[in-house]
Amino acid sequence: MGVAKAWRFSVISANLALLQHPNGNVSSNKHVCWRLRSSAGQQRKPISWSLVCGLMLFCLGLISLFTGHVASDLEWYSQRLVKRSLYFKLDGTTKGPIDIWKSDYAKYFYGCSKRGRKFRNAVREKSSKGYLLIAASGGLNQQRTGIADAVVVARILNATLVVPELDHNSYWKDDSDFANIFDVNWFISYLAKDVTIVKRVPDKFMRSMDKPPYTMRVPRKSPPEYYLDQVLPILSRRHVLQLTKFDFRLANNIDEELQKLRCRANFHALRFTKPIQELGQKLVMRMREMGKRYIAVHLRFEPDMLAFSGCYFGGGDKERYELGEIRKRWDTLPDLSADGERRRGKCPLTPHEVGLMLRALGFSNDTYLYVASGEIYGGEETLRPLRELFPNFYTKEMLAKEELKPFLPYSSRLAAIDYIACDESDVFVTNNNGNMAKILAGRRRYMGHKRTIRPNAKRLSALFMERDRMDWDTFARKVKAVQRGFMGEPDEMRPGRGEFHEYPYSCICEKPLSEVTDNKSGDPQSEQVIKLRKRSKEEESASLGDDNEESFPD
């Protein structure tokens, strides 16, 4: 394009000169620049200044075009070289082998959610705008997101938060209250400087009210401005307000100090009760007594999950009928093409496919597996291929038969025990984009980027369909290739990506330069290099936008 412009400009200049002198000959000495003398002694012809200027501009255009291209190419190649060196030092996306048990680059980052110096203390109960009642919905981990967000919303409204109510009417039919699952006193005391929390609205205040508490539901992903404009006036007028169906009702992108409060509520204030914590730690201890390291796999292959996905898993007409009947529980679900959903990567892997992926990544058959799951669709027949690939296969039921009995009637408490065993594992493997997968992935990033593997289902599904046509080494090599970027490396953390509970980017900080030391050479990594790497990822994510992935039921 630059060549064309330069050429066009020079031709126009020359034509303008000719238009001024139709005969093409200039006799005036004022416009004579020089005379050309031919070897044959021909008559000298005058050259106009306009033509000379046009030729000079054309030459300058070519020169600037050439130098401009050279400069831009040099800049492009230099950026490529810088990025490649940064990725080589700090990213898990290099061509070298990935350590399947831990990230080599986790040491450069740490979880940080301390309140800033300018973050004022919580308002006292008597000075607050009123009492905020929260009705969380869904299973344990869906409720956990709602509780953490409720803390932030109470802070935004300058309200007194009443300990949230848990859902007793969902698919899980668990009548556990907050105090049955979480240490309520710890929750209140840990957040005391951020938000005033009480166990119930004072009886004296309730008796003095003319009307019952006002109830409303806010739209999903509402920003702080919505709460200030639409919710605060009602709270100020009625003094007691209940927000129902409270899950994912707060926007992902909010002020950084509020994000850190989100992290304090989720990763620190929500501590399980002592009975749950003790049994969970016993399971972890028993797994480590058998093997120093273990993998926790959240199969999420229960009938409700499979029905919600709209996928097909090879069970014939019986499977289609059974899952179709369960799918009727959700009135708003559209008709889906099972093959289309698999190609889009929306279908969970079967237990057999999970096992094949792990073996292809390099986990040997003597690796210890902790399998967190409820009722597996297809039962033992579905699990058999995974057991054959990993004989050291354990569940909470296998590890704690008698001790587990008091918890059996309560699905949320059982989920909490699985949560602890998965959180403490060396490697956590998810099998869908459900709430437990998101919550644990975010917590493990916050707690030191512990290895978390999420199957690249879109690419893996094509490989599984063709695995009989290739030898094992080829299959394993391709699995390792498609799983790059899905292994829980720090560079997967991009501002604005997905749910904040899964990617808590505001609560992940770089370690000081003095603490960031290369164990091999003893030389500290350059702080500038780390920041450049972070900046390049942020620029990349700006064009990427939110992932906007569907949330499966908890």
Side-chain angles (χ1 to χ4, degrees):
M1 192 177 210
V3 174
K5 285 183 179 179
W7 172 255
R8 195 181 305 119
F9 186 80
S10 64
V11 170
I12 291 172
S13 300
N15 288 340
L16 287 173
L18 290 174
L19 285 172
Q20 292 174 359
H21 304 281
N23 295 330
N25 296 324
V26 181
S27 57
S28 175
N29 290 336
K30 292 180 181 179
H31 300 291
V32 175
C33 177
W34 66 76
R35 297 177 183 275
L36 298 176
R37 180 176 297 175
S38 66
S39 57
Q42 294 179 351
Q43 187 177 0
R44 296 174 180 174
K45 296 181 180 180
I47 303 298
S48 71
W49 275 108
S50 299
L51 182 60
V52 172
C53 291
L55 290 172
M56 291 176 66
L57 287 171
F58 175 68
C59 294
L60 287 172
L62 287 177
I63 293 170
S64 64
L65 177 68
F66 174 75
T67 56
H69 273 298
V70 170
S72 62
D73 286 346
L74 286 173
E75 181 182 6
W76 184 81
Y77 281 113
S78 65
Q79 289 178 354
R80 293 280 292 185
L81 288 172
V82 169
K83 285 186 177 181
R84 289 186 67 176
S85 66
L86 294 174
Y87 279 58
F88 178 76
K89 289 181 179 179
L90 297 174
D91 282 358
T93 55
T94 61
K95 295 298 182 182
I98 296 176
D99 187 333
I100 55 178
W101 286 102
K102 63 179 181 179
S103 169
D104 292 335
Y105 310 109
K107 59 189 175 184
Y108 302 118
F109 306 94
Y110 69 99
C112 56
S113 62
K114 289 184 178 179
R115 47 188 287 125
R117 293 181 179 178
K118 296 182 179 180
F119 197 64
R120 57 183 174 76
N121 288 337
V123 295
R124 294 173 179 261
E125 182 178 351
K126 293 182 179 179
S127 305
S128 70
K129 297 295 183 179
Y131 294 92
L132 185 65
L133 303 170
I134 295 293
S137 62
L140 173 69
N141 295 288
Q142 189 172 340
Q143 291 174 352
R144 191 181 186 108
T145 63
I147 295 167
D149 286 353
V151 170
V152 179
V153 169
R155 172 75 189 202
I156 292 170
L157 298 174
N158 278 333
T160 296
L161 177 65
V162 180
V163 171
E165 297 178 5
L166 303 188
D167 187 355
H168 296 162
N169 302 313
S170 65
Y171 171 79
W172 294 266
K173 304 294 183 185
D174 189 331
D175 61 0
S176 298
D177 291 322
F178 189 100
N180 300 129
I181 299 175
F182 301 107
D183 186 336
V184 65
N185 293 326
W186 172 262
F187 178 72
I188 293 172
S189 63
Y190 189 90
L191 295 170
K193 290 185 178 180
D194 300 307
V195 176
T196 298
I197 305 174
V198 296
K199 293 183 180 180
R200 63 182 65 85
V201 179
D203 293 336
K204 180 188 293 187
F205 189 89
M206 291 293 289
R207 286 194 297 268
S208 67
M209 290 177 58
D210 297 332
K211 299 178 182 179
Y214 187 85
T215 300
M216 67 180 294
R217 184 188 300 181
V218 300
R220 288 174 67 87
K221 309 292 180 64
S222 295
E225 292 77 16
Y226 179 90
Y227 286 96
L228 293 172
D229 295 339
Q230 304 296 325
V231 180
L232 182 58
I234 300 173
L235 177 64
S236 299
R237 187 170 63 253
R238 301 295 294 269
H239 302 297
V240 180
L241 173 64
Q242 183 177 45
L243 301 181
T244 62
K245 200 76 175 174
F246 202 82
D247 60 338
F248 302 102
R249 303 291 159 175
L250 182 62
N252 280 309
N253 187 20
I254 59 177
D255 177 78
E256 185 169 306
E257 281 295 335
L258 295 178
Q259 296 284 46
K260 289 183 180 294
L261 175 56
R262 239 178 183 169
C263 294
R264 291 197 294 276
N266 189 1
F267 303 137
H268 297 283
L270 285 174
R271 188 168 71 180
F272 293 121
T273 58
K274 189 175 181 180
I276 292 174
Q277 193 70 31
E278 286 179 349
L279 183 53
Q281 291 298 332
K282 282 182 181 179
L283 300 188
V284 174
M285 181 182 65
R286 288 166 188 174
M287 287 298 297
R288 296 211 181 279
E289 286 174 351
M290 294 183 288
K292 292 183 179 179
R293 300 184 295 191
Y294 73 93
I295 301 175
V297 181
H298 186 219
L299 283 180
R300 198 61 175 97
F301 208 71
E302 294 91 343
D304 68 298
M305 169 63 195
L306 305 188
F308 186 91
S309 71
C311 301
Y312 174 68
F313 301 92
D317 292 338
K318 180 175 180 289
E319 176 191 311
R320 290 190 176 94
Y321 173 77
E322 291 176 345
L323 298 184
E325 289 297 303
I326 298 173
R327 192 171 173 81
K328 292 178 182 178
R329 295 172 183 163
W330 297 282
D331 298 331
T332 58
L333 293 183
D335 292 331
L336 300 173
S337 165
D339 291 338
E341 291 301 288
R342 181 166 288 276
R343 284 194 297 270
R344 291 174 59 216
K346 299 299 182 181
C347 298
L349 305 184
T350 67
H352 186 204
E353 289 171 339
V354 171
L356 289 172
M357 177 194 71
L358 292 175
R359 291 295 300 274
L361 287 173
F363 294 101
S364 59
N365 69 337
D366 60 353
T367 301
Y368 282 81
L369 242 64
Y370 177 89
V371 177
S373 187
E375 175 194 357
I376 296 294
Y377 183 72
E380 185 57 34
E381 185 178 350
T382 302
L383 286 174
R384 187 178 298 112
L386 178 59
R387 288 181 183 273
E388 292 174 352
L389 289 168
F390 293 94
N392 297 318
F393 177 109
Y394 295 92
T395 63
K396 58 182 174 293
E397 291 80 7
M398 297 169 65
L399 293 170
K401 293 180 180 179
E402 292 299 320
E403 297 150 301
L404 201 62
K405 284 183 178 180
F407 300 91
L408 292 178
Y410 308 102
S411 60
S412 292
R413 300 182 210 185
L414 292 174
I417 293 168
D418 274 337
Y419 181 101
I420 295 171
C422 291
D423 182 39
E424 296 287 341
S425 66
D426 297 276
V427 177
F428 175 57
V429 182
T430 72
N431 190 25
N432 67 85
N433 200 41
N435 294 304
M436 181 171 176
K438 290 177 180 178
I439 286 287
L440 269 172
R443 178 177 173 83
R444 290 172 67 87
R445 289 185 172 102
Y446 180 82
M447 294 298 181
H449 285 286
K450 295 187 287 186
R451 176 68 76 208
T452 302
I453 300 174
R454 179 163 66 96
N456 183 354
K458 185 175 182 179
R459 300 282 300 277
L460 285 174
S461 61
L463 278 179
F464 287 130
M465 292 176 66
E466 299 179 0
R467 71 178 184 273
D468 294 334
R469 304 175 192 172
M470 62 184 81
D471 59 63
W472 175 256
D473 290 340
T474 302
F475 175 74
R477 185 176 67 252
K478 291 188 175 183
V479 168
K480 290 173 184 175
V482 303
Q483 278 300 120
R484 289 186 180 274
F486 293 79
M487 299 291 287
E489 289 291 331
D491 69 292
E492 296 173 24
M493 180 77 65
R494 301 168 189 170
R497 179 182 186 181
E499 298 289 345
F500 180 78
H501 295 290
E502 183 179 5
Y503 299 99
Y505 48 87
S506 298
C507 304
I508 307 293
C509 297
E510 297 176 21
K511 289 186 178 179
L513 186 62
S514 59
E515 296 181 19
V516 182
T517 305
D518 188 339
N519 292 332
K520 295 180 180 179
S521 63
D523 297 328
Q525 290 283 351
S526 167
E527 187 175 19
Q528 184 179 7
V529 166
I530 296 176
K531 287 184 177 179
L532 281 172
R533 168 205 163 276
K534 194 173 184 180
R535 189 185 310 157
S536 68
K537 281 297 176 187
E538 291 177 356
E539 292 170 353
E540 179 184 344
S541 67
S543 61
L544 189 66
D546 289 346
D547 281 357
N548 293 327
E549 297 176 357
E550 295 180 17
S551 293
F552 294 112
D554 201 345

